[in-house]
Amino acid sequence: MNTEILRIQGQDSKTEEMILNLGPQHPSTHGVLRVILKMDGEVITSAQPDVGYLHRGTEKLAENRTYPQMLVISDRWDYLAAMSNNLVWALAVEKLMQIEVPARGQILRVIMVELNRIASHLVFFGTYGIDIGAYTPFLYAFREREKILDLFEEVSGARMTYNYIRIGGVMADLPKDWIGRCRSFLEWMKPRFIEYDTLLTENPIFQDRTKNIGILPQPLAISYGISGPNLRGSSYRFDLRKDAPYCLYEKFNFSIPTGKNGDCWDRYWVRIEEMKESVKIIEQALDLLPEGECNAKVPRIIRPPMGEVYAQIEAPRGMLGIYLVSDGGDKPYRVHVRPPSFINLAVLQEILVGMKVADVIAILGSIDIVLGEVDR
Amino acid sequence: MLNYFKTIYKVGKSLIQGMLVTWKSFWQPSITVQFPDEKLITPERFRGALTFDKETCTACNLCVKACPTACISLEPAVDPATKKRIAKVSWYQIDFGKCNYCRLCEEACPTKPIKSVRHTHQYEWGMLERKEMFVKWERMSPSTEPSTSGSTNMKPI
Ligand code: SF4
Ligand code: SF4
């Protein structure tokens, strides 16, 4: 058998840019995201996220749904933090109708949203570990998340699509003994953070793979409209819970963690610290919880007056906003959602350039997107 | 060279620390459930498959209007003697392929004390064909019980 030796000539050999498709079926893209990477060897010269595989047209669907029906659909945007979606929709409609929710309803909303923030960041913590190559944290994170979902199941009847926060209040008051179970969960949760730090945060391999990787400079973050933990990772202190409080957030005592360099590790660390702050908020909320009604008086058929509003909250992934136009009927005239994931994803094309292909997954994971919200 | 060994020491140490955490968890009681043999108890508010009470329903259409995905359809009964509508259903159908399990229909239903359409705690339900997802309740012929609601068509595991 003859073998031919290929000789690569020095001067007239040509190298070509290579195009690599990451996704839409790649397990580490956390859903159906496709990123078109142009590479020069190992180094990325251009990255283009391609979205829309999960598009369900919910903004258009809203024009054919009544206001309470739209709550059911809002559950499907960011399915890891459906309570936040319910809340922002309820806030928008309440703002339009000028409904004042009783204090108990407000505090209940805060408890649910913050529990959901912990659950959502736990999914980030677990899946980010898997992305980097550590499987163990995933199992620990999902064990804790399961406890939160059990609490939600008791209170709303569902594990992911809660439909619990309603226009004018909440679906129903807390079931019996729920507060006790919630408190014991919080007590159980606190020592878990030490475990997480040992398993992942302080692991030198994990730190090597995330520190100084995917640096998002502060001016770039601001010009792209990045919000949430990604912005705070770039050491910019901005949190709607402090800067434009809703649902009595001004009554709570909590701090806003910020990173230093804006690299993957900072974004990761901010989320871990946020979980600890959320535990504090829930504890204060359980102490604060006043007696009384949790629902405001809402007409049976909701017909907001003509007008337009913008409502926004700090969802686990950033600033979630709803722009709502009403023509006085029982269905919205036009709805626009400002999804934090979609806007955070856009910066990927800037921060991936110049990185090695092995770091793409680490950077993509640290942005923490949910494709249900990106595509709506 | 020194750095090299330092790194090895650091990684080795964190590996052992991590293993200690797993070692501790190893002795904690297991939280997983061996599903078909053991089952968790669903909470009171659990939103499982819907059930319908064809005798109490007044055919008021409120649940149809409340549903976000239009998966309920019904026809009011007609009195054969007077040819007038009566406050009963002739048939009632839910398309479980579209249902969100959202409880809006149950909340809208005015019958008291037990709602005509309501969630059960049933969460095991296998279907082989799309048309099995349409569950129909008929009032006129008493022999037709709901055929697919329940585990009648499920193979034992
Ligand atoms: S649970 Fe929701 S989607 Fe299902 S039938 Fe009732 S209203 Fe419709
Ligand atoms: S199930 Fe209830 S809401 Fe629906 S038609 Fe019957 S009585 Fe009315």
Side-chain angles (χ1 to χ4, degrees), chain A residues 65-66 68-70 72-73 75-76 136 140 143 146-147 150 153-159 161-164 166 171-175 188 192 194-195 198-199 202-205 208 300, chain B residues 7 10-12 14-15 17-19 21-26 28 31 40-48 62 64-70 99-104 107-110:
Chain A
R65 299 283 183 283
T66 62
Q69 286 176 351
M70 200 42 210
V72 178
I73 289 173
D75 278 330
R76 272 96 181 149
T136 317
Y140 284 72
R143 177 185 63 187
E146 206 58 25
K147 289 186 187 269
D150 281 347
E153 198 180 11
E154 278 171 37
V155 94
S156 73
R159 300 176 74 80
T161 50
Y162 311 112
N163 193 15
Y164 178 69
R166 299 286 176 89
M171 183 184 99
D173 209 334
L174 296 175
W188 195 80
R192 298 284 91 77
I194 303 163
E195 280 186 9
T198 326
L199 281 175
E202 282 159 15
N203 188 305
I205 301 172
D208 276 357
R300 245 189 114 80
Chain B
T7 317
K10 246 170 55 183
V11 173
S14 79
L15 187 76
Q17 280 173 338
M19 288 306 265
V21 174
T22 30
W23 179 252
K24 271 186 212 148
S25 305
F26 183 72
Q28 279 165 13
I31 54 159
L40 294 172
I41 301 161
T42 46
E44 196 196 325
R45 293 181 186 175
F46 186 76
R47 306 202 297 248
L62 284 178
V64 179
K65 283 189 193 136
C67 180
T69 41
C99 179
N100 288 305
Y101 299 86
C102 66
R103 193 177 273 148
L104 291 188
E107 283 169 14
C109 184

Side-chain angles (χ1 to χ4, degrees), chain B residues 24-37:
Chain B
K24 271 186 212 148
S25 305
F26 183 72
W27 298 106
Q28 279 165 13
S30 165
I31 54 159
T32 46
V33 173
Q34 303 300 325
F35 164 59
D37 303 326

Side-chain angles (χ1 to χ4, degrees), chain B:
Chain B
M1 196 64 184
L2 189 66
N3 264 343
Y4 178 72
F5 284 111
K6 258 189 191 161
T7 317
I8 289 183
Y9 171 72
K10 246 170 55 183
V11 173
K13 198 178 123 203
S14 79
L15 187 76
I16 290 166
Q17 280 173 338
M19 288 306 265
L20 272 178
V21 174
T22 30
W23 179 252
K24 271 186 212 148
S25 305
F26 183 72
W27 298 106
Q28 279 165 13
S30 165
I31 54 159
T32 46
V33 173
Q34 303 300 325
F35 164 59
D37 303 326
E38 302 171 55
K39 279 177 192 175
L40 294 172
I41 301 161
T42 46
E44 196 196 325
R45 293 181 186 175
F46 186 76
R47 306 202 297 248
L50 291 163
T51 185
F52 176 70
D53 188 345
K54 54 187 188 245
E55 294 308 324
T56 55
C57 174
T58 57
C60 68
N61 233 14
L62 284 178
C63 54
V64 179
K65 283 189 193 136
C67 180
T69 41
C71 51
I72 306 177
S73 44
L74 62 87
E75 196 173 288
V78 176
D79 192 338
T82 56
K83 297 268 183 296
K84 272 194 187 140
R85 279 178 164 205
I86 50 172
K88 292 275 174 204
V89 279
S90 152
W91 55 263
Y92 188 91
Q93 178 178 292
I94 299 176
D95 176 3
F96 281 96
K98 282 190 200 162
C99 179
N100 288 305
Y101 299 86
C102 66
R103 193 177 273 148
L104 291 188
C105 51
E106 184 183 327
E107 283 169 14
C109 184
T111 51
K112 277 176 192 154
I114 298 173
K115 309 267 184 181
S116 293
V117 60
R118 60 183 184 273
H119 286 278
T120 58
H121 285 209
Q122 176 203 345
Y123 56 87
E124 298 166 298
W125 196 357
M127 285 171 246
L128 294 174
E129 274 180 78
R130 192 166 283 216
K131 62 174 189 285
E132 286 175 39
M133 290 178 174
F134 293 90
V135 179
K136 197 168 183 177
W137 289 267
E138 276 170 282
R139 205 180 67 90
M140 283 311 157
S141 47
S143 59
T144 44
E145 280 295 304
S147 55
T148 31
S149 74
S151 49
T152 44
N153 65 334
M154 274 174 53
K155 295 198 181 72
I157 304 159

Side-chain angles (χ1 to χ4, degrees), chain A residues 41 162 165 268:
Chain A
Y162 311 112
I165 294 171
Y268 163 85

Side-chain angles (χ1 to χ4, degrees), chain A residues 112-179:
Chain A
M112 296 306 155
V113 170
E114 291 303 324
L115 272 178
N116 214 177
R117 189 186 309 275
I118 299 178
S120 166
H121 284 348
L122 279 174
V123 175
F124 162 79
F125 167 76
T127 51
Y128 197 47
I130 291 193
D131 288 348
I132 303 283
Y135 194 81
T136 317
F138 173 78
L139 299 172
Y140 284 72
F142 269 60
R143 177 185 63 187
E144 272 77 89
R145 178 171 179 259
E146 206 58 25
K147 289 186 187 269
I148 300 178
L149 295 193
D150 281 347
L151 288 174
F152 282 156
E153 198 180 11
E154 278 171 37
V155 94
S156 73
R159 300 176 74 80
M160 267 182 115
T161 50
Y162 311 112
N163 193 15
Y164 178 69
I165 294 171
R166 299 286 176 89
I167 297 160
V170 292
M171 183 184 99
D173 209 334
L174 296 175
K176 231 175 72 212
D177 303 332
W178 191 88
I179 294 181

